[in-house]
């Protein structure tokens, strides 16, 4: 594991790795929500004559919804649509999603957050979503560890994932931290690419149908099959780093 950290430092040219915050993606990391999102995407886009598969939903996971819609419309209908039109289409997807059963919190998330808090580290959430009900649920489910000032949504950045902007904003909200002071936990290729571009130590939890290589090839330093596996490994990882002062 020490070698993994050394490889991270060498790749980014950093002299040390001293994490002070853990930045979690939301869907597919904290919640087992991606099956619901995939179905909502497919059903809603049919209304606009856009063919979107479950594979498309997973491949674009982490990006802002309006960006995904503008890309799909351009590809399939050959036209550029405004942010306002994309937002109206995204609102339809949102209604489908909220009509579905509530997604469960992944096993292992709360014990891991407890360990992070005991280390004196901050917890942030960086999501491509901007849906108010989802943000409210984060505050209810993780209120012991998280406040609204430590949540980055689609509306906090102009460029979403895979650009580095969302995770750079997360570092800023955590107190203007440097990239080597943040650990990112992601599950999607676009999210991993965003975190790596921001310079953060990036851990992937492969909760979806993609092969591990889809995450490691984007630069994830570590890939776990389940959040419980990351929870079980956390103490060994953090033992190799200085705790926040």
């Amino acid at each position: 594991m020490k070698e993994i950290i050394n490889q991270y430092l060498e790749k980014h040219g950093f002299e040390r790795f001293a994490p002070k915050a853990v930045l979690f993606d939301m869907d597919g990391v904290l919640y087992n929500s991606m099956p619901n999102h995939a179905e909502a995407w497919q059903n809603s886009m049919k209304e606009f004559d856009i063919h979107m598969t479950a594979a498309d939903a997973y491949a674009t996971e982490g990006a802002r919804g309006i960006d995904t819609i503008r890309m799909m419309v351009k590809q399939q209908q050959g036209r550029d649509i405004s942010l306002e039109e994309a937002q109206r289409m995204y609102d339809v997807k949102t209604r489908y999603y909220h009509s579905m059963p509530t997604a469960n919190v992944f096993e292992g998330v709360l014990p891991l957050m407890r360990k992070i808090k005991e280390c004196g580290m901050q917890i942030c959430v960086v999501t491509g979503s901007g849906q108010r009900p989802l943000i409210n649920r984060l505050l209810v489910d993780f209120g012991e560890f998280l406040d609204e000032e430590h949540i980055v949504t689609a509306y906090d950045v102009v460029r979403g994932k895979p650009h580095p902007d969302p995770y750079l904003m997360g570092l800023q909200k955590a107190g203007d931290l440097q990239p080597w002071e943040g650990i990112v936990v992601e599950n999607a290729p676009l999210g991993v690419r965003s975190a790596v571009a921001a310079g953060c130590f990036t851990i992937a939890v492969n909760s979806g149908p993609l092969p591990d290589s889809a995450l490691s090839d984007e630069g994830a330093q570590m890939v776990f099959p389940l959040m419980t596996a990351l929870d079980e490994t956390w103490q060994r990882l953090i033992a190799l780093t200085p705790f926040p002062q």
Side-chain angles (χ1 to χ4, degrees):
M1 194 171 296
K2 186 175 182 180
E3 179 60 29
I4 293 173
I5 294 176
N6 288 337
Q7 289 172 358
Y8 160 75
L9 295 174
E10 182 177 351
K11 176 178 179 177
H12 292 281
F14 298 147
E15 294 184 358
R16 59 180 178 144
F17 174 51
K20 297 180 180 178
V22 179
L23 294 80
F24 289 92
D25 178 43
M26 182 175 70
D27 292 305
V29 172
L30 301 181
Y31 298 111
N32 187 17
S33 50
M34 277 310 299
N36 286 0
H37 278 292
E39 185 175 339
W41 272 118
Q42 292 175 85
N43 291 337
S44 61
M45 290 303 102
K46 285 180 184 176
E47 296 192 13
F48 302 98
D49 295 321
I50 296 294
H51 177 66
M52 190 168 187
T53 66
D56 291 329
Y58 280 98
T60 57
E61 180 188 355
R64 298 191 307 171
I66 54 174
D67 293 335
T68 296
I69 289 170
R70 296 179 86 189
M71 178 191 69
M72 298 294 287
V73 171
K74 181 67 172 179
Q75 287 178 349
Q76 296 187 26
Q77 298 180 354
R79 62 190 183 95
D80 295 309
I81 62 173
S82 66
L83 290 174
E84 291 74 20
E85 183 176 354
Q87 183 64 57
R88 288 193 295 271
M89 295 170 69
Y90 184 62
D91 289 343
V92 175
K93 184 264 179 178
T94 299
R95 288 198 295 273
Y96 271 100
Y97 179 81
H98 288 294
S99 71
M100 303 174 76
T102 301
N104 295 327
V105 175
F106 274 116
E107 183 181 358
V109 169
L110 290 172
L112 176 59
M113 285 191 174
R114 201 160 288 117
K115 290 182 178 70
I116 294 168
K117 184 177 180 180
E118 289 170 355
C119 289
M121 299 170 68
Q122 299 180 70
I123 291 174
C124 303
V125 173
V126 179
T127 175
S129 175
Q131 301 174 35
R132 189 66 224 180
L134 295 181
I135 306 309
N136 290 341
R137 188 183 175 195
L138 282 172
L139 296 172
V140 170
D141 291 342
F142 308 111
E144 178 183 354
F145 313 104
L146 180 70
D147 59 43
E148 190 155 1
E149 297 304 311
H150 287 74
I151 299 175
V152 177
T153 75
Y155 302 116
D156 286 313
V157 294
V158 175
R159 301 189 307 170
K161 303 172 187 178
H163 297 287
D165 307 35
Y167 283 109
L168 293 175
M169 177 61 72
L171 293 171
Q172 181 178 325
K173 287 196 172 193
D176 292 323
L177 300 184
Q178 297 299 314
W180 44 265
E181 294 177 310
I183 295 175
V184 168
V185 183
E186 263 286 354
N187 73 304
L190 295 185
V192 170
R193 196 186 308 172
S194 171
V196 171
C200 295
F201 187 91
T202 305
I203 298 171
V205 178
N206 193 359
S207 61
L210 301 176
D212 287 353
S213 60
L215 302 168
S216 58
D217 288 351
E218 293 291 353
Q221 272 75 44
M222 307 174 75
V223 181
F224 292 91
L226 299 167
M227 186 62 76
T228 50
L230 172 55
D231 174 49
E232 292 167 0
T233 307
W234 177 258
Q235 297 293 14
R236 287 197 291 129
L237 172 63
I238 211 64
L240 298 174
T241 72
F243 284 3
Q245 298 301 315

